[in-house]
C-alpha cells in the first residue's frame, strides 16, 4: 500500500500560513500593506497583549465589495495581478493573494468594509479560515480588519511566541518601518490603548522621521537626493554624530517596500568610510526608486528580500549619492529646523531631548546639577565636521548620581602620600577609594587635558638616588620604588631596584579594576551599583528595548536597574564604578549586542558578563592622554608592584614593560 497522502485543505493551509504569519508583527505588516495598496491616506494600527489577543488595522482606503469579501480569504485570491506578465511590473506591496488566507487560517478574523459607492458596509466573521457569517452593518468608507486569538489552533506556534512586551516591540519596529516608507500616509500605532506614534502624513519625510525616530534623530540628519543608472536615491542619512553600534537604523525601501538589502547596506557603509569610526554603523532612511523590471520582489514569502537583475548600478547609485552628500555637508552651515515642523509624537523607545525634564519624580537638588550639554550639531564647525572624532554625544539626558558631590575636587586628606621624587610606600587606598578619587577628578575636569607639551612637568627628579642595594626577585614584587616621571601623559616611568619599569597607566588600572569588579561579582552575585537621584532616560531601538525587557535580570547582575514601561527605559541605578553617560553608553551597547547576537552560540551569558565587566573597568579606568595628580599615580604604581602576577590588561595588552639597568648600560657601552 502506498505511503504518500495528499494533505487536507486545512492542513495545507496551516503549513502555508506558517511562511507568511510567523508572529503578530507579520500580521500587522500584511494588514497595513493591504491598507496602503487600497490607497488609504490614514491608517490606524492597534494591538493588545502583544497582538495575541487583538490586532486591528483600520483604513480609509477603497474598501471591498460585499461579494469580494469571502473571496479575499481564499488562497491565491488577489485583485493586484492577473497573469504572469504582471509579475515583472509589480508596484503594489501585495501580489501573492495569500496574506488574508494565511492570517484567517490561524485566528478569528472580522472584516468590516465599505466602498464609496456602497450604501452600507459589510461585515464578515471567520474562524480558522472558515467563513461564519456575512452581514450588513453601518460603517464609514474603508476597511477594518480585526484579528483575535492568534494561533489559537496552532499551539506549537503560540508557545513559540515571546513575552507580550517583546512581541509589542517587534510590532513597533515593523510599523515604524512601514510608516517611514510612506510619509504621505498618516500612520498611527496604539499598543494596549496607548498611542506610540502618529505620523502627520503630510508627505514630508523629515516630519515622519521626527514622529517615528524622534526629534533629536531628525535634527542630526542630512537630506540626500541623487540619481545614477536610472536609480533615484532619496531620503535622509545620519550625520557622523548619529551613529549606532549595529545596523538597526539602516532602513532601505525599494519602490516603497522595506527590504533588507546587503548591496545597499554595503554601499552605504563604504560611503561612510573615514567619516565615522570603523566599529560604528550609519543611520539612514533611504528610498530607491527604479524600474520594477530590474528588481524581483518575489523571492521571499514575507517579501523582505529582493533580487536585483544587476547589483552594481544599485551599489553605485547609493554609494555616490551618500558620499557626495557627506562631502558637501562637511562645509554646510547649521541646519535650521522649525519648532512645529518636528513635532515628536513618539513615546516608545523615546529619546527625551536635552533640556526637557526627564520623567519621574522631580527632586530639587541642593547643589546645582552640571549644565546640560549643548547640541553639538548647532555649534558651527571650525573645521569640516566629518573630520571630527566620533566622540558621539549620546541620546541620553543627564542626571547626576546621588553621591556625586558638586565641586568635590580635593584629594581626600587621609591620602598623605609622599610627593616628589623618592621612595614611596603603598598608599592605603582600596581600588574602590581610588575610583572615588578619580570620580572627583572626572567631575572636575571632564575634558582631556591639552597635549603634554603645553603642560609644565611635575616634580621631575634632579638626582637619582640608588636603591638600598637590594635586587628584587622580579620587578613586580618590590613595593619600594622611585617615580621618575611620565611620558606622553600615558607611560609611567618607575625605577625599581635595578630596573626601569614602564607602566601603561590606563591598561594597568583597567586590569586592577577588572579583578576587583570580578571578585565582587563572584562574591555578591552582582556588580555593586549606585542609585541615581533622577531616572536617566536612554534611547533604545525597539530591538534593544525588547532585549532590555527579556534580559533584565542579566543586566541587573552587572549593575543596571531600570524601569521599563510603555514609554521607554529609565536607568535608576548604574554600575558603581562609572559615570552616568558612560553607563548609558554601556547599557545601549549591551542591549544592542544581546539583540544582535540572540541565539548565536558565541553569545552566551558568561561571555556577555565577562565583556560587560571589562567594559566597566575600561570606562572607569584612568585615561591615557590625560593628566592625573600624584596620589593617583602613586597608588597605581604601588598597586602594580604589589600584584606580581598581573602582566596583561583584560584585552590582553601588556600593562608594564621592564628595562634593566644592565641593558641600558650595555646599550651605552658602559659595560660589555
Ligand atoms: N484593507 C483593504 N482594503 C481593500 N481591499 C483589501 C484590503 N485588504 C485586502 N483587500 C483585498 O483582498 C485581497 C486579498 O488580500 P491579501 O492580502 O490576501 O492578498 P494580496 O494583498 O493581494 O497579496 P499578498 O498575499 O501578497 O498580500 C487583496 O488583493 C485586495 O483586493
Ligand atoms: Mg496583502
Amino acid at each position: 500500500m502506498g505511503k504518500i497522502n495528499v494533505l487536507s485543505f486545512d492542513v495545507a493551509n496551516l503549513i502555508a500560513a506558517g511562511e507568511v504569519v510567523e508572529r503578530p508583527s507579520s500580521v500587522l505588516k500584511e494588514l497595513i500593506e493591504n491598507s496602503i495598496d487600497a490607497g488609504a491616506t490614514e491608517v490606524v494600527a492597534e494591538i493588545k497583549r502583544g497582538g495575541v489577543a487583538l490586532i486591528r488595522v483600520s483604513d480609509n482606503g477603497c474598501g471591498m465589495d460585499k461579494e469580494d469579501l469571502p473571496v479575499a480569504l481564499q488562497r491565491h485570491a488577489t485583485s493586484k495581478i492577473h497573469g504572469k506578465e504582471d509579475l515583472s511590473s509589480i508596484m503594489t506591496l501585495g501580489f501573492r493573494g495569500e496574506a488574508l488566507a494565511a492570517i484567517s487560517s490561524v485566528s478569528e478574523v472580522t472584516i468590516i468594509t465599505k466602498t464609496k459607492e456602497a450604501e452600507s458596509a459589510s461585515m464578515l466573521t471567520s474562524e480558522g479560515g472558515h467563513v461564519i457569517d456575512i452581514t450588513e452593518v453601518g460603517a464609514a468608507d474603508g476597511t477594518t480588519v480585526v484579528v483575535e486569538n492568534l494561533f489559537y489552533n496552532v499551539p506549537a506556534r503560540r508557545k513559540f511566541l515571546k513575552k507580550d512586551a517583546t512581541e509589542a516591540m517587534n510590532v513597533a519596529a515593523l510599523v515604524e518601518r512601514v510608516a517611514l516608507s510612506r510619509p504621505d500616509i498618516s500612520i498611527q500605532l496604539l499598543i494596549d490603548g496607548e498611542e506610540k506614534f502618529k505620523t502627520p502624513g503630510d508627505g514630508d519625510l523629515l516630519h515622519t522621521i521626527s514622529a517615528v525616530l524622534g526629534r533629536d534623530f531628525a535634527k542630526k540628519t542630512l537630506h540626500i537626493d541623487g540619481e545614477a543608472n536610472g536609480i533615484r536615491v532619496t531620503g535622509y542619512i545620519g550625520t557622523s554624530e548619529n551613529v549606532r553600534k549595529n545596523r538597526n537604523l539602516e532602513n532601505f525601501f525599494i519602490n516603497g517596500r522595506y527590504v533588507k538589502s546587503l548591496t545597499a547596506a554595503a554601499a552605504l557603509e563604504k560611503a561612510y568610510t573615514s567619516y565615522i569610526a570603523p566599529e560604528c554603523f550609519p543611520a539612514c532612511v533611504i528610498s530607491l526608486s527604479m524600474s520594477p523590471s530590474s528588481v524581483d520582489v518575489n523571492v521571499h514569502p514575507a517579501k523582505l528580500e529582493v533580487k536585483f537583475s544587476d547589483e552594481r548600478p544599485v551599489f553605485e547609485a547609493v554609494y555616490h549619492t551618500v558620499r557626495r552628500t557627506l562631502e558637501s555637508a562637511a562645509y554646510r552651515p547649521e541646519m535650521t529646523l522649525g519648532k512645529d515642523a518636528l513635532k515628536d509624537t513618539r513615546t516608545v523607545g523615546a529619546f527625551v531631548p536635552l533640556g526637557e525634564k526627564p520623567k519621574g519624580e522631580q527632586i530639587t537638588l541642593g547643589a546645582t546639577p552640571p549644565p546640560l550639554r549643548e547640541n553639538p550639531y548647532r555649534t558651527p564647525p571650525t573645521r569640516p565636521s566629518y573630520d571630527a572624532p566620533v566622540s558621539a554625544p549620546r541620546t541620553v539626558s543627564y542626571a547626576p548620581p546621588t553621591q556625586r558631590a558638586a565641586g568635590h575636587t580635593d584629594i581626600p586628606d587621609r591620602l598623605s602620600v609622599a610627593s616628589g621624587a623618592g621612595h614611596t610606600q603603598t598608599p592605603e587606598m582600596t581600588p574602590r577609594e581610588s575610583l572615588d578619587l578619580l570620580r572627583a577628578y572626572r567631575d572636575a575636569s571632564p575634558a582631556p587635558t591639552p597635549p603634554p607639551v603645553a603642560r609644565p612637568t611635575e616634580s621631575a627628579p634632579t638626582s637619582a638616588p640608588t636603591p638600598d642595594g637590594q635586587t628584587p626577585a622580579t620587578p613586580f614584587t618590590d613595593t619600594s620604588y622611585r617615580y621618575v616621571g611620565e611620558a606622553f601623559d600615558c607611560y609611567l616611568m618607575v625605577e625599581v631596584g635595578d630596573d626601569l619599569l614602564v607602566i601603561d597607566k590606563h591598561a594597568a588600572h583597567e586590569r586592577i579594576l577588572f579583578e576587583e569588579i570580578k571578585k565582587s561579582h563572584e562574591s555578591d552575585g552582582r556588580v555593586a551599583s549606585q542609585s541615581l537621584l533622577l531616572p536617566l532616560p536612554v534611547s533604545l531601538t525597539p530591538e534593544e528595548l525588547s532585549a532590555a525587557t527579556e534580559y533584565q535580570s542579566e543586566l541587573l547582575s552587572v549593575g543596571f536597574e531600570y524601569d521599563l514601561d510603555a514609554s521607554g527605559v529609565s536607568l535608576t541605578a548604574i554600575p558603581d564604578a562609572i559615570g552616568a553617560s558612560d553607563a548609558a553608553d554601556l547599557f545601549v551597547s549591551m542591549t544592542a549586542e544581546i539583540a544582535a547576537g540572540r541565539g548565536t552560540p558565541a553569545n552566551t551569558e558568561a561571555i556577555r558578563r565577562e565583556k560587560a565587566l571589562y567594559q566597566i573597568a575600561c570606562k572607569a579606568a584612568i585615561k591615557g592622554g590625560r593628566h592625573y595628580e600624584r596620589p593617583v599615580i602613586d597608588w597605581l604604581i604601588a598597586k602594580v608592584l604589589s600584584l606580581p602576577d598581573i602582566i596583561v590588561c583584560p584585552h590582553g595588552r601588556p600593562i608594564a614593560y621592564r628595562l634593566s639597568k644592565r641593558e641600558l648600560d650595555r646599550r651605552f657601552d658602559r659595560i660589555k
Side-chain angles (χ1 to χ4, degrees):
M1 186 163 145
K3 291 178 188 159
I4 302 175
N5 305 312
V6 175
L7 295 174
S8 75
F9 178 78
D10 281 359
V11 176
N13 251 0
L14 279 181
I15 292 171
E19 289 185 349
V20 180
V21 188
E22 203 192 333
R23 53 186 352 115
S25 60
S26 23
V27 175
L28 259 298
K29 173 181 180 291
E30 296 298 336
L31 297 183
I32 301 176
E33 288 188 352
N34 279 347
S35 297
I36 293 173
D37 285 345
T41 54
E42 281 173 27
V43 179
V44 180
E46 186 180 356
I47 60 162
K48 289 206 168 124
R49 284 199 33 229
V52 177
L54 176 110
I55 295 170
R56 177 165 35 216
V57 174
S58 306
D59 66 55
N60 63 351
C62 67
M64 284 177 265
D65 291 325
K66 188 177 177 185
E67 57 270 31
D68 273 346
L69 254 181
V71 186
L73 293 199
Q74 289 175 23
R75 286 195 73 193
H76 315 302
T78 179
S79 58
K80 299 170 192 174
I81 57 171
H82 292 96
K84 70 171 192 284
E85 61 287 350
D86 297 333
L87 277 176
S88 57
S89 56
I90 293 168
M91 285 307 273
T92 49
L93 296 168
F95 58 89
R96 296 164 63 101
E98 285 202 315
L100 285 183
I103 295 166
S104 62
S105 70
V106 292
S107 64
E108 295 162 17
V109 167
T110 305
I111 305 177
I112 301 165
T113 188
K114 180 180 174 304
T115 61
K116 223 168 35 205
E117 297 75 31
E119 280 180 5
S120 60
S122 309
M123 181 168 88
L124 172 149
T125 46
S126 76
E127 225 179 89
H130 299 287
V131 177
I132 293 176
D133 194 20
I134 301 180
T135 51
E136 289 196 357
V137 290
D141 293 353
T143 303
T144 296
V145 181
V146 185
V147 177
E148 289 167 289
N149 234 338
L150 186 64
F151 298 132
Y152 79 98
N153 53 351
V154 201
R157 185 52 68 97
R158 192 155 184 166
K159 251 209 253 146
F160 173 79
L161 291 180
K162 300 242 164 61
K163 282 186 200 151
D164 289 355
T166 310
E167 294 299 338
M169 296 309 156
N170 288 326
V171 166
L174 181 282
V175 182
E176 283 180 5
R177 280 165 188 157
V178 179
L180 289 171
S181 74
R182 293 298 296 259
D184 55 330
I185 302 177
S186 166
I187 296 180
Q188 183 185 24
L189 174 64
L190 299 156
I191 294 181
D192 293 322
E194 202 183 315
E195 180 182 290
K196 294 302 158 195
F197 66 80
K198 183 179 182 184
T199 61
D202 60 2
D204 188 325
L205 178 58
L206 195 58
H207 296 173
T208 307
I209 290 175
S210 178
V212 172
L213 299 175
R215 197 165 167 233
D216 183 68
F217 181 96
K219 280 202 284 190
K220 292 187 214 153
T221 56
L222 302 165
H223 182 241
I224 58 165
D225 192 346
E227 189 160 357
N229 309 316
I231 300 167
R232 173 112 189 261
V233 183
T234 56
Y236 287 85
I237 56 171
T239 62
S240 56
E241 295 158 359
N242 197 356
V243 294
R244 305 294 294 178
K245 291 269 155 63
N246 52 43
R247 295 195 166 89
N248 288 351
L249 281 183
E250 292 183 7
N251 296 295
F252 294 102
F253 304 94
I254 293 176
N255 291 342
R257 182 191 306 279
Y258 171 79
V259 290
K260 291 182 175 156
S261 167
L262 290 178
T263 310
L268 173 85
E269 288 163 23
K270 182 96 184 133
Y272 269 86
T273 310
S274 81
Y275 284 96
I276 61 175
E279 69 276 13
C280 293
F281 293 92
C284 74
V285 179
I286 293 182
S287 286
L288 304 178
S289 311
M290 62 181 77
S291 159
S293 60
S294 50
V295 49
D296 186 356
V297 290
N298 192 19
V299 290
H300 190 276
K303 306 172 206 115
L304 276 173
E305 284 161 24
V306 290
K307 219 170 156 186
F308 300 111
S309 53
D310 187 0
E311 301 197 344
R312 195 186 44 85
V314 178
F315 184 97
E316 285 177 1
V318 173
Y319 175 80
H320 290 300
T321 306
V322 172
R323 188 80 189 179
R324 250 198 324 268
T325 308
L326 290 173
E327 279 162 5
S328 52
Y331 300 96
R332 189 175 294 174
E334 179 182 351
M335 184 175 169
T336 49
L337 290 165
K339 225 181 179 181
D340 294 337
L342 297 180
K343 213 167 134 225
D344 192 347
T345 59
R346 189 183 62 132
T347 48
V348 144
F351 162 70
V352 179
L354 292 180
E356 280 185 28
K357 280 184 192 161
K359 281 198 169 177
E361 208 185 341
Q362 299 294 307
I363 301 164
T364 313
L365 294 167
T368 322
L372 295 171
R373 214 184 312 171
E374 289 238 313
N375 178 355
Y377 192 72
R378 298 206 162 272
T379 313
T382 50
R383 59 179 177 140
S385 57
Y386 282 107
D387 290 346
V390 191
S391 60
R394 296 290 330 171
T395 51
V396 294
S397 295
Y398 183 82
T402 37
Q403 66 267 62
R404 180 173 288 192
H408 174 57
T409 56
D410 290 335
I411 301 159
D413 286 340
R414 54 178 291 225
L415 277 166
S416 47
V417 182
S419 60
H423 292 271
T424 312
Q425 295 304 315
T426 309
E428 275 179 20
M429 186 163 50
T430 65
R432 221 306 7 129
E433 288 170 308
S434 82
L435 281 175
D436 289 341
L437 185 62
L438 285 165
R439 192 173 285 143
Y441 289 128
R442 185 173 55 217
D443 290 353
S445 55
T449 49
V453 277
R455 196 174 57 79
T457 55
E458 60 169 285
S459 56
T462 46
S463 62
T466 43
D468 307 330
Q470 310 152 342
T471 313
T474 81
F476 296 102
T477 52
D478 194 336
T479 54
S480 169
Y481 68 90
R482 190 177 71 84
Y483 176 55
V484 178
E486 185 172 359
F488 314 115
D489 263 349
C490 185
Y491 303 110
L492 310 177
M493 307 286 173
V494 185
E495 200 182 290
V496 189
D498 266 345
D499 290 306
L500 179 68
L501 207 56
V502 183
I503 301 172
D504 178 327
K505 68 182 179 190
H506 170 74
H509 194 217
E510 187 187 8
R511 178 72 207 218
I512 291 163
L513 289 176
F514 174 73
E515 291 302 325
E516 186 71 14
I517 295 166
K518 201 168 161 196
K519 213 160 55 194
S520 96
H521 186 277
E522 273 160 14
S523 65
D524 305 335
R526 57 167 294 181
V527 169
S529 52
Q530 54 180 322
S531 302
L532 297 178
L533 199 56
L534 297 174
L536 173 61
V538 178
S539 164
L540 298 176
T541 64
E543 286 90 339
E544 289 161 357
L545 201 49
S546 97
T549 314
E550 223 177 312
Y551 292 80
Q552 197 157 7
S553 60
E554 191 184 312
L555 289 158
L556 177 74
S557 85
V558 293
F560 288 107
E561 287 174 36
Y562 49 97
D563 292 327
L564 257 168
D565 51 42
S567 60
V569 172
S570 294
L571 298 179
T572 52
I574 58 176
D576 203 6
I578 54 179
S581 73
D582 276 343
D585 273 357
L586 182 60
F587 188 81
V588 173
S589 69
M590 278 198 76
T591 51
E593 257 168 55
I594 294 172
R598 268 193 183 117
T600 54
N603 194 30
T604 64
E605 184 178 344
I607 290 174
R608 284 196 297 267
R609 186 175 50 240
E610 182 94 352
K611 205 164 166 193
L613 299 190
Y614 78 64
Q615 280 175 322
I616 292 172
C618 182
K619 286 189 187 301
I622 64 179
K623 308 277 179 282
R626 224 178 259 192
H627 173 65
Y628 293 86
E629 298 298 329
R630 265 310 284 276
V632 175
I633 299 299
D634 282 329
W635 173 83
L636 186 63
I637 295 170
K639 196 75 194 169
V640 169
L641 295 179
S642 71
L643 297 169
D645 52 353
I646 292 181
I647 50 169
V648 292
C649 78
H651 301 277
R653 285 196 293 115
I655 63 165
Y657 179 75
R658 182 180 62 159
L659 199 60
S660 68
K661 179 170 181 295
R662 201 179 156 70
E663 169 68 5
L664 281 171
D665 287 344
R666 209 174 50 76
R667 294 219 166 222
F668 289 100
D669 286 336
R670 284 177 172 270
I671 56 169
K672 292 284 171 230

